[in-house]
Amino acid sequence: MSQIIIEDLIKRFRVSERDAGMWGAIRGIVKRRYHTIDALDGVSFSIESGELVGYIGPNGAGKSTTVKVMSGILVPDAGRCEILGRVPWRNRTEHVSRIGVVFGQRTQLWWDLPVIESFDLLRDIYRIPRAEYATNRDEFIAVLNIEGCLDVPVRQLSLGQRMRCDLAAALLHSPDILFLDEPTIGMDAVSKLAFREFIKQFNQERGTTVILTTHDMDDIEVICDRVMIINDGKIVSDGTLDELRRRVSLERRLVVELVDNVIEPTIHPLANLANRDGRRIHIQFDPHQISAADLIAHATSQNQVQDLFVENPPIEETIARIYKDQAT
Amino acid sequence: MLDSLFIYRRFLAVSLRAQMQYKASFLMQLGGRLIITAGEFMAILVLFDRFDSLIGWNVYQVAFIYGIVNISFAVADAMTTGFDLFGDMVKTGDFDRILIRPRSTALQLAGQELTLRRISRLTPGLVALTWAAMNLDLNWTFANASLLMVSVAGGASLFAGLIVLQATLAFWTTETLEMMNTLTYGGVETTQYPINIYRPWFRNFFTFGIPLATVSYFPALAIMGTPDPLGTPLWFQYIAPAIGIAFLIGSLQVWRIGVRHYLSTGS
Amino acid sequence: MISYWAIVSARFRSLLQYRSAALAGLVTQIVWGMIRVMIFQAFYSSTNAEQPMDGSDVETYIWLGQAFLAALPWNIDTDLRSLIRSGGIGYELIRPVDLYTYWLSRALSWRTAPMVMRAIPLLIFAFVVMGMSPPVSWAAAAAFFVSMCAAILLSSAITTFLNVTMLWTITGDGVTQMTFGLVLIFSGMLVPLPLYPDWSQPIINAMPFRGLVDTPYRLYLGHIPVSEFAGVLAHQLVWILAFIVAGRLAMARALRRVVVQGG
């Protein structure tokens, strides 16, 4: 059975509208007008143990709402949500002791305390056995390179250091599932790389399921095997990164660097010139009509080629296209 | 239960250590609070110096009641700082952080912070109570001593219950809750004097509505062996503090309803 | 002068926005006043001896205290505090105004706006429902008005002094609490000053805090006759001047330190 089962999840929020001014405020006390927002409009998916899932969508699409439901801090209006065989909000404490959550925006460490004391306190809150705690703590300190942060109060850490400490804190109790809500926001490049590397490695070693929401497509490309896209409260795409690309556009590009700046390079009739940048030309083609190998053979035989490579369209473009297709 | 006590103690230790990081500020605040609370007690002494009696009550009797109420409030106030700050936690979304931990929300909030400077109120309370007890010629039977303990516990529970209720409102409204402070601080101000000096409607509000007088005034009468000018029977004066504990239990139930509401609205 | 007026009026308008807080504060202070009135009535009903101030005067004194409570120097400017914490105080230094005067103007509006919001409805309530008495004479009313303005200025000068101490202590909470403790005890807020023991009267009268509460209220009641107005006003003004000088000196020292540290 799947570790996470989500079926037809529905969540509507009522947002009160208030008229401007003093009179509006008074009228608002007597009679409020509301409009509803469908944050989740029939979301379904299931996730197997050990998967690395990226969960993306524009702001307000329902990402955080889904994560909140899955972490047991929001009750949906309808639908089924079963995680590790439990309904999160019915057994909140049992549920949350098996998951780890990292919110990129705020820390769950104690602001005025040295990091190590936060860790010790979490050990007692989660009732982690001493031996397990010691092993985990020492491993994370080494791998995440936070040795130097341990005696520093959290408020004095840089964002990158703090996030690495937060990640360690969320994993001390060896959760089965890890939720990362925009973890790399505002992080410096070095910390980002270390962070991604750690997640991948941790998943491979321990088989922990990871669900990651982010706006950073590099996160997705490096970490995730599977990508789910939510828009307007509905899952609009769910599959591997390659499947996602294929679904949206079959189009790929061959970039050719010519030896000379020829005026009219010869291009295969089944492909066409996307754009040109001096000696460098971008050829657009559909792999169903002509294989990359044939196109390369044609290009090298007809032109004097110095260098060439095949390119996927950037993931941002792919995603943007999916949102656009949805809108129309 | 034992485990909860253990984790509560751990929370408190952490909170105290955090406060000790700002030692100078802490000491100044403690000093400031001491001046304010000592001033309030001094005001009573000043008035008795002018007026000799308060409708038949002497200064020691009033000091005794003052002591019980202020000790109760000091304990409750220090232990519920987390609830006091709760409105902001809802606004900033920090309450989510409490929800993703495998412990009861009320326990985590109570352990969130034990504000030491709030204990400063304890000092004039203890001084007043001791001074009154030495001058009042009290009969320290086992029953009376336990009644004093229970009375403080009942008072602290009642104040804590009020503060929890006040925090619970933050689940429904973001409006300022300054008005609720009238109940807590106004309650302290009111009940540190014998309740019979007030007009009946006011007296009844703090006896039956928010039973703050019930948990301090009546047991104090029983301990002092003073018959109640309002005519309540002795047995009632003995069981009165239990009402405070019942009130806290009730408040925590309402709190639970608030948490459920939060879970379904997420706001 | 025009720029200071702009500062005062802009802050005034922004402070007036917190209407619901003002309403809550109003209810709180009415209840508070009622509790205190009942306590004093009980004390007065327990004695036949002649008192330095009669019972109905004490009630009016209490209602005035509730009405003008927000004008007391009871807190520090939280906006300034976050400015100091974040280091944004540097920008304050490059404004083309004298910093001390600017801070004093801020404090003046900070003290006045919430007070006006509460004082008027509370006084109406006290007159209509609680039977508070009007000033004893037109002269007393005028003396009260002038002295009340001086009280607000004194409160603002003390507030500014507290704000300046934040340049050292960052939070400022401790100093503020200690000062407010002294204000409560020695201004007349807790117990009208004439009720304090006779031996303590000279000490209390020399201190600055009576100028915040006791002086204007007793002028209102005629408890200080109008003939003594000049003397008590001079007392207020001397202390206003003292706090302004102290505040300016402290600020100059603090800023020198800030500049030296490059902070």
Side-chain angles (χ1 to χ4, degrees):
Chain A
M1 204 177 81
S2 300
Q3 203 177 34
I4 299 178
I5 304 168
I6 304 280
E7 271 171 25
D8 284 326
L9 222 49
I10 290 179
K11 183 73 203 173
R12 293 198 176 85
F13 291 118
R14 287 210 307 168
V15 183
S16 64
E17 292 170 49
R18 201 179 258 187
D19 299 325
M22 183 72 172
W23 178 234
I26 292 171
R27 211 166 39 193
I29 295 167
V30 185
K31 192 182 164 198
R32 288 235 175 114
R33 284 181 304 139
Y34 293 96
H35 68 271
T36 51
I37 296 174
D38 294 325
L40 298 180
D41 191 11
V43 168
S44 304
F45 56 82
S46 64
I47 293 174
E48 303 300 322
S49 173
E51 281 195 83
L52 282 169
V53 183
Y55 192 42
I56 56 181
N59 285 331
K63 278 184 316 235
S64 327
T65 309
T66 322
V67 172
K68 279 185 175 177
V69 169
M70 289 193 287
S71 35
I73 58 186
L74 191 64
V75 182
D77 296 334
R80 176 173 171 218
C81 172
E82 243 176 80
I83 295 176
L84 299 161
R86 290 191 200 97
V87 178
W89 57 91
R90 294 237 175 87
N91 292 312
R92 186 182 65 81
T93 48
E94 287 87 350
H95 171 68
V96 296
S97 65
R98 295 313 318 145
I99 63 167
V101 185
V102 175
F103 295 115
Q105 313 281 9
R106 52 184 104 98
T107 181
Q108 62 155 323
L109 302 167
W110 279 257
W111 198 240
D112 287 321
L113 286 186
V115 174
I116 191 71
E117 292 199 28
S118 284
F119 287 180
D120 285 347
L121 192 55
L122 286 168
R123 173 195 66 206
D124 294 334
I125 292 178
Y126 283 88
R127 305 179 176 94
I128 310 169
R130 298 257 157 179
E132 181 188 340
Y133 170 72
T135 324
N136 278 349
R137 181 194 57 198
D138 296 343
E139 184 192 329
F140 301 154
I141 290 172
V143 180
L144 284 166
N145 192 20
I146 48 175
E147 181 75 54
C149 308
L150 293 180
D151 296 321
V152 181
V154 175
R155 64 186 138 86
Q156 289 171 12
L157 295 177
S158 75
L159 184 69
Q161 291 172 322
R162 205 196 75 200
M163 285 311 299
R164 279 181 280 152
C165 294
D166 249 311
L167 184 60
L171 294 171
L172 284 172
H173 57 289
S174 314
D176 299 318
I177 305 172
L178 175 64
F179 295 102
L180 300 167
D181 194 8
E182 308 202 7
T184 53
I185 235 172
M187 245 193 222
D188 61 283
V190 178
S191 294
K192 258 187 200 173
L193 291 178
F195 195 90
R196 290 174 188 149
E197 194 46 47
F198 177 83
I199 300 285
K200 260 193 108 69
Q201 202 189 333
F202 188 78
N203 163 270
Q204 272 161 18
E205 281 170 14
R206 308 254 189 140
T208 306
T209 311
V210 178
I211 294 154
L212 165 75
T213 76
T214 185
H215 283 292
D216 187 336
M217 292 308 153
D218 292 340
D219 287 350
I220 299 280
E221 269 188 289
V222 175
I223 300 174
C224 301
D225 307 327
R226 173 179 166 191
V227 187
M228 299 193 298
I229 302 180
I230 186 168
N231 197 14
D232 279 337
K234 293 191 188 71
I235 301 280
V236 295
S237 164
D238 184 354
T240 65
L241 209 56
D242 286 341
E243 280 169 0
L244 173 65
R245 284 211 182 88
R246 244 174 288 149
R247 216 200 99 185
V248 183
S249 83
L250 300 164
E251 194 179 278
R252 299 173 87 185
R253 283 178 185 191
L254 176 69
V255 182
V256 181
E257 186 129 357
L258 300 169
V259 176
D260 297 313
N261 203 349
V262 273
I263 299 161
E264 281 287 328
T266 319
I267 290 167
H268 197 280
L270 287 173
N272 49 56
L273 183 69
N275 69 55
R276 176 168 185 173
D277 177 15
R279 291 188 294 126
R280 180 176 278 219
I281 56 175
H282 299 249
I283 302 168
Q284 231 172 31
F285 68 101
D286 179 346
H288 287 277
Q289 291 182 350
I290 178 170
S291 73
D294 289 345
L295 187 65
I296 290 169
H298 177 263
T300 43
S301 64
Q302 302 294 315
N303 304 287
Q304 280 205 296
V305 175
Q306 192 172 49
D307 191 13
L308 57 74
F309 54 94
V310 180
E311 203 183 54
N312 285 323
I315 183 82
E316 279 88 352
E317 267 179 36
T318 313
I319 306 287
R321 198 167 291 188
I322 289 191
Y323 296 161
K324 219 164 73 192
D325 289 354
Q326 267 293 287
T328 51
Chain B
M1 183 66 201
L2 264 182
D3 187 47
S4 291
L5 273 180
F6 163 73
I7 195 75
Y8 183 65
R9 220 195 57 220
R10 284 282 283 127
F11 275 136
L12 295 192
V14 159
S15 160
L16 297 188
R17 217 162 319 154
Q19 289 176 63
M20 280 307 128
Q21 297 208 339
Y22 306 95
K23 223 169 274 166
S25 165
F26 164 74
L27 286 175
M28 296 273 274
Q29 292 197 35
L30 191 67
R33 291 264 177 155
L34 267 177
I35 293 180
I36 295 177
T37 46
E40 282 168 5
F41 181 57
M42 195 203 61
I44 295 179
L45 298 181
V46 165
L47 290 174
F48 270 98
D49 181 53
R50 283 275 167 207
F51 297 94
D52 300 324
S53 101
L54 177 63
I55 335 187
W57 299 95
N58 65 38
V59 66
Y60 305 116
Q61 291 170 316
V62 172
F64 194 76
I65 295 172
Y66 172 95
I68 292 179
V69 169
N70 278 276
I71 293 169
S72 307
F73 184 65
V75 172
D77 195 31
M79 286 178 53
T80 54
T81 313
F83 287 94
D84 243 11
L85 307 173
F86 178 68
D88 290 335
M89 290 188 79
V90 171
K91 264 181 240 165
T92 58
D94 277 346
F95 187 57
D96 291 353
R97 199 181 57 193
I98 300 279
L99 284 172
I100 58 162
R101 292 197 188 126
R103 294 287 182 160
S104 102
T105 51
L107 178 71
Q108 290 189 64
L109 274 176
Q112 177 90 357
E113 198 178 328
L114 179 109
T115 315
L116 268 184
R117 59 170 189 275
R118 298 190 177 200
I119 291 196
S120 59
R121 192 180 278 273
L122 207 55
T123 321
L126 284 171
V127 170
L129 191 73
T130 317
W131 179 68
M134 288 191 314
N135 287 285
L136 269 173
D137 188 30
L138 294 178
N139 184 12
W140 282 117
T141 61
F142 175 74
N144 276 349
S146 357
L147 184 55
L148 179 62
M149 298 292 171
V150 176
S151 173
V152 168
S157 305
L158 187 53
F159 279 120
L162 274 177
I163 296 166
V164 169
L165 278 185
Q166 181 172 349
T168 307
L169 283 180
F171 283 123
W172 280 276
T173 172
T174 52
E175 291 294 315
T176 168
L177 298 169
E178 194 188 345
M179 224 175 306
M180 287 295 290
N181 285 338
T182 318
L183 286 183
T184 44
Y185 291 98
V188 177
E189 179 79 8
T190 304
T191 53
Q192 62 195 13
Y193 290 94
I195 194 76
N196 75 317
I197 70 168
Y198 300 105
R199 278 175 217 140
W201 66 268
F202 195 74
R203 188 164 74 206
N204 288 337
F205 178 76
F206 279 105
T207 311
F208 304 109
I210 308 290
L212 277 173
T214 309
V215 296
S216 54
Y217 172 74
F218 296 120
L221 290 178
I223 298 167
M224 293 190 288
T226 317
D228 184 6
L230 301 171
T232 51
L234 192 64
W235 64 263
F236 173 74
Q237 296 171 3
Y238 270 92
I239 62 149
I243 292 169
I245 292 158
F247 190 88
L248 177 59
I249 294 171
S251 302
L252 288 172
Q253 295 305 317
V254 179
W255 169 259
R256 225 157 273 164
I257 296 172
V259 173
R260 268 206 296 278
H261 175 79
Y262 179 88
L263 286 178
S264 64
T265 57
S267 54
Chain C
M1 204 56 214
I2 288 171
S3 63
Y4 295 122
W5 173 247
I7 291 165
V8 171
S9 76
R11 281 195 59 77
F12 205 92
R13 268 176 284 133
S14 72
L15 289 170
L16 283 180
Q17 284 171 2
Y18 300 103
R19 293 191 192 95
S20 64
L23 181 69
L26 183 65
V27 173
T28 305
Q29 276 158 234
I30 286 176
V31 174
W32 208 259
M34 282 160 68
I35 297 172
R36 297 184 61 78
V37 164
M38 281 190 268
I39 293 170
F40 277 91
Q41 281 175 342
F43 271 112
Y44 272 88
S45 72
S46 316
T47 184
N48 293 318
E50 177 78 5
Q51 295 300 334
M53 190 177 229
D54 71 40
S56 70
D57 277 359
V58 169
E59 284 180 34
T60 301
Y61 193 107
I62 289 171
W63 285 118
L64 285 169
Q66 292 306 312
F68 298 109
L69 181 72
L72 293 179
W74 63 278
N75 63 356
I76 34 181
D77 192 329
T78 42
D79 295 345
L80 277 182
R81 173 157 65 190
S82 37
L83 214 57
I84 290 168
R85 273 198 179 154
S86 64
I89 193 71
Y91 294 104
E92 294 279 279
L93 295 175
I94 58 173
R95 277 176 207 264
V97 291
D98 172 54
L99 192 62
Y100 181 84
T101 318
Y102 169 54
W103 279 27
L104 185 65
S105 318
R106 279 180 75 106
L108 206 55
S109 48
W110 176 258
R111 286 288 158 248
T112 322
M115 182 206 76
V116 172
M117 291 291 290
R118 295 182 187 194
I120 295 168
L122 199 139
L123 286 175
I124 292 172
F125 177 86
F127 277 120
V128 176
V129 183
M130 306 307 295
M132 176 183 165
S133 33
V136 283
S137 65
W138 284 105
F144 165 72
F145 180 78
V146 175
S147 176
M148 198 62 223
C149 291
I152 291 165
L153 195 56
L154 177 59
S155 173
S156 306
I158 296 177
T159 305
T160 309
F161 185 76
L162 295 176
N163 286 338
V164 170
T165 65
M166 276 194 295
L167 290 171
W168 275 285
T169 62
I170 309 295
T171 67
D173 284 337
V175 188
T176 309
Q177 293 236 342
M178 290 178 93
T179 310
F180 187 55
L182 296 174
V183 168
L184 273 185
I185 298 169
F186 296 112
S187 68
M189 274 313 290
L190 277 177
V191 175
L193 294 186
L195 295 180
Y196 278 87
D198 298 330
W199 58 263
S200 66
Q201 294 293 333
I203 310 167
I204 293 172
N205 284 340
M207 291 209 264
F209 306 111
R210 64 174 293 208
L212 294 166
V213 169
D214 189 69
T215 306
Y217 299 0
R218 277 162 72 192
L219 284 166
Y220 178 105
L221 293 166
H223 204 264
I224 296 176
V226 178
S227 58
E228 288 174 29
F229 172 60
V232 291
L233 185 68
H235 177 269
Q236 285 180 303
L237 293 177
V238 166
W239 278 111
I240 291 169
L241 204 66
F243 274 103
I244 288 179
V245 170
R248 271 193 179 282
L249 287 177
M251 180 183 255
R253 286 202 60 157
L255 290 184
R256 223 171 18 241
R257 216 181 47 134
V258 171
V259 173
V260 169
Q261 286 182 347

